[in-house]
Amino acid sequence: MSRRVVGVTLDNLEHLSKHSRTCVFWELAPHLKSQAEEYGDTEFEKEAWVSSVLLEWGSCGRIIYCDGIPAGSAFYAPPAAVPRSLAFPTSPVSADAVLMTSLEVLPEFRGGGLGRVLVQSVAKDLTKRGVKAIEAFGDAQPDEDQPGCVIPANFLLGVGFKTVRPHHRWPRLRLELRTALGWKEDVEAALERLLNTVTVSTAEPSFRPASAKI
């Protein structure tokens, strides 16, 4: 199975899942999110946010393809560009970090390490741009039956993030990028072998519990 990771642009937004295209949990302040969901167009709001961040800061997302099929995505941005980042009990994000807001692998592609590849791609991009760390708010109690907008905390811990501010539901976690770079060098060959043997499962739920490997 061939894999390819590319940056999110306005031209490939349509390759995101419907959930990723329309979720504005991070991109709008809570009251504006409610208004957009009730009266507006959340897909337009997501596109406007991506356009603004691309223009003012640069690449803010990654899409992974398997045999040419979009299989998942990840988004990240400076905390100042993410209104929701101030609404968590474990806020604020550290001043030297970029916030990874969301990461999704489609159900039929889960269990093959694609989520780890997305994190690796984000880490590589940000390391080149001189960023010191990635932080993320984790969901310690994700809903296994519904797609969520917050990354499961156990997944983040499994790919090298460390908890910097604990919480029973919304811990804040951090990945030092010098650590991520060393981790990449150490496991890249093994990961390549793993992904070369990926098989597609169609029996997965729409979203995995906190112990899921995405």
Side-chain angles (χ1 to χ4, degrees):
M1 177 178 290
S2 65
R3 300 159 310 283
R4 180 170 60 101
V5 182
V6 303
V8 169
T9 69
L10 296 180
D11 293 328
N12 62 21
L13 280 177
E14 63 184 18
H15 294 173
L16 298 171
S17 71
K18 181 179 180 181
H19 172 73
S20 292
R21 288 198 313 272
T22 60
C23 176
V24 289
F25 177 86
W26 294 101
E27 293 79 7
L28 298 177
H31 68 288
L32 295 177
K33 171 182 174 291
S34 298
Q35 292 178 12
E37 289 175 340
E38 186 171 358
Y39 303 110
D41 182 341
T42 55
E43 190 166 345
F44 171 81
E45 296 289 350
K46 185 66 166 264
E47 181 177 346
W49 181 86
V50 170
S51 176
S52 174
V53 178
L54 284 172
L55 180 65
E56 297 179 13
W57 182 68
S59 181
C60 61
R62 288 287 183 269
I63 300 175
I64 188 166
Y65 298 84
C66 290
D67 290 338
I69 302 171
S73 62
F75 280 92
Y76 51 99
V82 185
R84 176 71 69 162
S85 68
L86 297 174
F88 281 77
T90 49
S91 298
V93 174
S94 301
D96 64 348
V98 163
L99 179 64
M100 186 165 70
T101 57
S102 60
L103 189 150
E104 179 189 34
V105 174
L106 297 182
E108 59 268 33
F109 293 97
R110 291 178 187 161
L114 299 188
R116 183 181 291 265
V117 176
L118 282 167
V119 172
Q120 180 178 301
S121 179
V122 172
K124 182 177 180 181
D125 175 47
L126 293 178
T127 297
K128 290 179 178 178
R129 294 159 74 174
V131 176
K132 292 183 177 180
I134 304 170
E135 292 193 2
F137 294 101
D139 186 351
Q141 303 171 33
D143 186 340
E144 61 181 285
D145 297 320
Q146 297 293 331
C149 297
V150 183
I151 304 168
N154 274 10
F155 167 76
L156 293 168
L157 292 169
V159 296
F161 281 76
K162 305 296 183 183
T163 302
V164 291
R165 189 162 180 192
H167 188 268
H168 70 280
R169 181 67 192 270
W170 309 116
R172 178 162 52 88
L173 302 99
R174 180 179 174 96
L175 181 68
E176 301 289 345
L177 287 184
R178 61 178 180 274
T179 301
L181 188 58
W183 160 67
K184 174 183 180 293
E185 293 169 348
D186 290 340
V187 306
E188 191 173 54
L191 182 60
E192 182 69 18
R193 289 194 299 270
L194 169 67
L195 294 178
N196 280 336
T197 61
V198 159
T199 57
V200 176
S201 171
T202 59
E204 297 289 336
S206 59
F207 196 71
R208 299 300 296 270
S211 60
K213 293 182 179 180
I214 60 176

